Amino acid sequence: AEVLALRWADVDLDSTPATVTISGTVAIGADGKIFRQEHPKTETSRRELKLPQFAVDVLLRRRIESYCEWVFPSATGTLRWPHNLRRNWREALADTEYAEVSPRALRKAVATLLRDELGVEAARDQLGHASEMVTRKHYIQPAHIGPDATSALDAFGKTASK
């Protein structure tokens, strides 16, 4: 919903590195219509993210072809419904090796990658969570790797073999 609420005014492709500012989200009103909520889910969800080059390349192509204020609009230039995005996603990946990959699974993969490369704090901040607990509990895959206990076990082995 944050990505669908992005406006071109939220994207700075001229900065180095390029950035996007997450300052809103798509929400569904009581009337059943979608609108851009002028704030994200929480205060910590409001953030500026630095973009990797592959994302900059995609956004540059989209900007050239842009016909409205939304970065990822519907076909008519309005806000895109999150349900439609998920349907389009499934259709695009059908009959590929990525057919089972959902947007949420991708978000979890990014969180896990960031945890492994930069630490859990980086994953928390990228996803806009208020606490590491949410990031760890719902997004980061468990490492399933024991601690490096080789020195303690080697010492134990030397003692046990005497």
Side-chain angles (χ1 to χ4, degrees):
E2 291 174 344
V3 168
L4 296 179
L6 281 177
R7 303 163 298 191
W8 285 112
D10 301 320
V11 179
D12 184 354
L13 296 173
D14 295 324
S15 65
T16 305
T19 62
V20 295
T21 300
I22 306 298
S23 61
T25 188
V26 170
I28 301 174
D31 61 358
K33 296 180 180 178
I34 60 170
F35 66 98
R36 184 181 194 276
Q37 180 176 283
E38 294 301 320
H39 58 84
K41 191 173 181 181
T42 67
E43 190 54 40
T44 55
S45 297
R46 185 179 305 275
R47 62 208 185 278
E48 181 179 282
L49 300 173
K50 293 172 177 48
L51 296 172
Q53 190 58 51
F54 74 87
V56 172
D57 295 343
V58 168
L59 289 172
L60 282 170
R61 285 193 305 272
R62 291 191 70 81
R63 184 67 183 130
I64 291 167
E65 298 168 4
S66 177
Y67 53 92
C68 66
E69 71 175 307
W70 308 112
V71 176
F72 300 102
S74 70
T76 60
T78 60
L79 283 170
R80 182 182 294 268
W81 276 80
H83 304 349
N84 290 345
L85 172 71
R86 287 189 289 275
R87 187 191 74 241
N88 295 149
W89 180 280
R90 284 189 307 272
E91 289 170 356
L93 298 179
D95 301 322
T96 73
E97 62 185 303
Y98 304 107
E100 299 302 316
V101 177
S102 67
R104 182 171 165 119
L106 188 59
R107 188 169 161 93
K108 289 172 111 174
V110 166
T112 301
L113 171 72
L114 292 177
R115 186 265 328 260
D116 292 348
E117 295 291 323
L118 303 172
V120 70
E121 300 84 9
R124 176 201 64 209
D125 293 345
Q126 184 78 16
L127 272 56
H129 294 151
S131 74
E132 291 177 14
M133 185 179 77
V134 171
T135 310
R136 287 181 192 276
K137 184 176 180 183
H138 299 289
Y139 290 92
I140 294 177
Q141 295 296 322
H144 299 296
I145 298 172
D148 183 357
T150 54
S151 61
L153 294 172
D154 282 341
F156 173 75
K158 289 178 185 173
T159 304
S161 65
K162 288 184 181 181

